[in-house]
Amino acid sequence: MQVVYQRCCGLDIHKKLIVACLLIMSSQGVQKKESRTFSTTLADLYRLRDWLVANECQMVAMESTGVYWKPIWNVLEEGLALMLVNAQHMKGVPGRKTDMKDAEWIAELLQHGLLRASFVPPRPQRELREVTRYRSKLVEEQARLVNRIQKVLEDSNVKLASVATDITGVSGRAILQALLDGEEDPEVLAELARGRMRSKRDQLAQAVQGTMRDHHRFLLKSQLRQLDFYDTQIAELDQEIARRLGVQIGPDDPEPQGGGPTSGQPASSADPMPDGGADLTPRSPQLSSIPARSKAEVIRILDEVTGINQRIAQIVVAELGIQLDQFPSEGHLVSWAGLCPEAKISAGKRLSTKTGKGNRWLKQALIEAAHGAARSKNTYLGAYYQRLKKRMGSKKAIVALAHRILVIIYHLLKEQQSYRELGPGHADEQAAESSKRWAIRRLEQLGFAVTLIPKDHEDEVA
């Protein structure tokens, strides 16, 4: 096989040690192997880097083993070309399983160009990813904590959740605090309602009558303190994310509806395209000559897309960046995010239509955006969801809608365009065009030559 790299190294990574195999091809075509073992301490990582630099290593490949590859990457990326590889893509020869053999196998595959590199963003983006992912984790833990609070209330016969949509809102927190302070009069508790909840005071008076005991109050006090801590932590993370992105902190939109026709954002004046809800026509044939937008500008553009709010836009920028040069086409991006069916076909028959594995952080954010877009009114994406829902059901339609949103994001970032809402009628036009193409293709497969004549023109000829 052809030798792509004359000097390359494969790393077999573990928690406490690294096994490195360096392959060197001489001018006579003789292959030289040198293997060494290093610990994962910082001093040994520097020693590994110096050894590879001294041997003029052209490329270093390593498996994406948990989080253990990250500290190694952080040290070796200074001065060396690195490649992160999915472990499933390079299964070794059976019966030859040792750490030294694993490192040698990685090096041999790398030498002949048989490894496919995973996308590893630059260090600033990796740091932003860690912050946004930690914020998403805290939000998940906060939601679980609210469920535990609800469980305690149910155990004490307090049916607050049957009346209040959010038991941790302003009215809910005021009622819970009064219950913890020993207040038992239902009329007094119902008077603590604020805003639209005041119209439900009679229902609240019935719902807050319970059998709360001392252990219930103890658990609720602990849980509410923890909830306040989560609120503080999330607020601090919001400030850090905003600082790294260079954006202003605004109120988070609990129901992301995006720009749409009611957002007040100015629409682009370019002509619409037939295959999406955004204007995807490049304004210049030389995309590379267009100056890159700032992260704050990209956040603003993404916020205009139906279903995407500031928080989801921040996650998109953290996971993808703002250039998308690493994705040759929209299909590569959708596959990387895990929002398209896996290619699982045998004997001409598709065995599965399930979506494959991908970036779960981006996929989760886009699914959330899809739920918001599906509820939107008088928008292209809302109409697109309603059309898909009739054919494939709500769950599959949500995934397909997330797919469509990601395709729009790809073109907005790749071609540096602004989102333009095309309205619900564009989805019907797309459906009619798709049906026409399918009918023509089917007739041609049956051996007919198809010529389309508009009905109005046919009446004139007659």
Side-chain angles (χ1 to χ4, degrees):
M1 289 185 291
Q2 179 185 1
V3 174
V4 178
Y5 298 106
Q6 299 293 330
R7 295 170 175 266
C8 61
C9 180
L11 300 182
D12 187 44
I13 299 173
H14 301 271
K15 181 178 180 180
K16 297 182 180 180
L17 61 89
I18 306 167
V19 178
C21 180
L22 179 65
L23 297 183
I24 302 175
M25 290 293 294
S26 64
S27 57
Q28 291 79 21
V30 179
Q31 179 173 283
K32 173 186 175 184
K33 297 181 183 179
E34 184 177 354
S35 299
R36 293 190 182 184
T37 301
F38 302 86
S39 70
T40 55
T41 60
L42 184 59
D44 250 22
L45 292 181
Y46 283 130
R47 191 162 64 89
L48 169 62
R49 187 186 66 181
D50 294 341
W51 174 61
L52 294 174
V53 171
N55 284 276
E56 301 178 354
C57 183
Q58 297 173 298
M59 180 65 69
V60 181
M62 66 186 77
E63 294 179 342
S64 54
T65 308
V67 297
Y68 300 136
W69 65 271
K70 292 185 178 181
I72 301 169
W73 186 284
N74 292 336
V75 173
L76 298 186
E77 70 176 341
E78 301 174 3
L80 290 168
L82 303 180
M83 181 184 296
L84 185 69
V85 185
N86 190 331
Q88 294 181 346
H89 297 168
M90 48 179 184
K91 296 181 179 179
V93 179
R96 303 178 61 205
K97 181 67 179 78
T98 65
D99 295 339
M100 202 67 69
K101 290 295 183 182
D102 286 344
E104 181 181 337
W105 179 247
I106 296 172
E108 289 179 356
L109 292 176
L110 175 62
Q111 184 182 49
H112 298 291
L114 298 177
L115 295 180
R116 184 172 58 184
S118 299
F119 168 53
V120 180
R123 185 185 291 266
Q125 187 178 340
R126 297 203 303 270
E127 295 173 354
L128 177 62
R129 271 185 176 185
E130 292 183 8
V131 179
T132 55
R133 290 177 178 183
Y134 181 55
R135 186 196 185 281
S136 298
K137 277 293 184 183
L138 285 187
V139 171
E140 292 176 4
E141 293 175 7
Q142 187 183 48
R144 284 193 288 268
L145 179 60
V146 172
N147 289 337
R148 287 194 288 269
I149 294 175
Q150 168 61 19
K151 183 179 179 179
V152 173
L153 292 178
E154 289 291 334
D155 189 61
S156 62
N157 296 99
V158 176
K159 308 294 290 186
L160 181 61
S162 300
V163 181
T165 304
D166 183 10
I167 62 174
T168 59
V170 175
S171 301
R173 287 298 297 267
I175 293 173
L176 288 178
Q177 188 59 50
L179 287 171
L180 294 179
D181 293 338
E183 180 62 58
E184 296 182 354
D185 188 343
E187 298 298 332
V188 174
L189 293 172
E191 285 297 326
L192 296 175
R194 299 289 182 268
R196 290 180 296 178
M197 285 289 294
R198 293 194 63 80
S199 62
K200 301 179 180 180
R201 282 174 292 178
D202 293 339
Q203 301 176 45
L204 279 174
Q206 297 292 326
V208 296
Q209 299 180 38
T211 57
M212 185 168 290
R213 301 182 180 277
D214 291 340
H215 78 284
H216 292 139
R217 292 188 175 89
F218 174 79
L219 291 174
L220 284 176
K221 286 181 180 178
S222 175
Q223 290 166 346
L224 291 177
R225 284 197 303 267
Q226 190 176 0
L227 187 64
D228 292 335
F229 174 74
Y230 281 147
D231 289 336
T232 303
Q233 290 291 296
I234 292 173
E236 292 177 357
L237 288 171
D238 286 338
Q239 293 178 355
E240 176 64 15
I241 293 170
R243 183 186 68 82
R244 289 179 175 273
L245 291 174
V247 298
Q248 297 293 329
I249 300 179
D252 194 16
D253 184 7
E255 292 254 350
Q257 298 293 335
T262 61
S263 65
Q265 297 289 354
S268 171
S269 60
D271 294 332
M273 293 294 289
D275 59 348
D279 170 22
L280 307 179
T281 305
R283 304 184 187 278
S284 170
Q286 300 293 334
L287 293 178
S288 59
S289 64
I290 303 177
R293 284 174 165 162
S294 65
K295 292 180 180 178
E297 177 69 8
V298 171
I299 293 291
R300 186 190 67 81
I301 294 299
L302 294 179
D303 192 26
E304 296 176 356
V305 180
T306 308
I308 296 181
N309 59 11
Q310 284 254 344
R311 182 174 59 82
I312 295 178
Q314 292 170 358
I315 295 175
V316 171
V317 171
E319 298 299 328
L320 296 180
I322 60 177
Q323 295 295 331
L324 302 191
D325 295 333
Q326 65 275 14
F327 300 107
S329 68
E330 63 186 47
H332 287 81
L333 174 58
V334 171
S335 177
W336 181 79
L339 284 172
C340 64
E342 284 185 312
K344 196 171 184 182
I345 302 174
S346 179
K349 181 180 179 181
R350 182 177 290 277
L351 302 179
S352 174
T353 58
K354 293 183 178 180
T355 56
K357 294 182 179 180
N359 186 312
R360 66 185 184 92
W361 306 95
L362 178 61
K363 184 176 181 179
Q364 177 181 341
L366 291 174
I367 292 294
E368 182 179 346
H371 279 286
R375 294 190 297 269
S376 62
K377 305 297 182 182
N378 299 322
T379 63
Y380 163 75
L381 291 176
Y384 182 77
Y385 167 77
Q386 295 299 331
R387 179 166 63 87
L388 293 179
K389 180 182 177 182
K390 298 176 183 177
R391 177 164 54 91
M392 59 179 62
S394 58
K395 292 184 178 180
K396 289 185 178 180
I398 284 293
V399 176
L401 184 60
H403 179 140
R404 173 61 58 179
I405 293 175
L406 184 55
V407 170
I408 293 174
I409 290 173
Y410 175 83
H411 287 281
L412 294 181
L413 299 186
K414 190 77 171 181
E415 301 170 4
Q416 301 194 13
Q417 303 302 302
S418 296
Y419 181 77
R420 185 183 182 215
E421 176 57 55
L422 299 179
H426 188 68
D428 297 333
E429 295 174 5
Q430 278 189 308
E433 185 66 25
S434 177
S435 298
K436 183 176 68 175
R437 288 196 304 266
W438 180 88
I440 294 174
R441 185 168 60 251
R442 181 60 180 154
L443 287 172
E444 289 176 344
Q445 289 174 352
L446 294 175
F448 294 95
V450 181
T451 302
L452 297 181
I453 300 176
K455 187 175 181 180
D456 296 339
H457 181 69
E458 183 182 24
D459 294 338
E460 292 176 3
V461 173

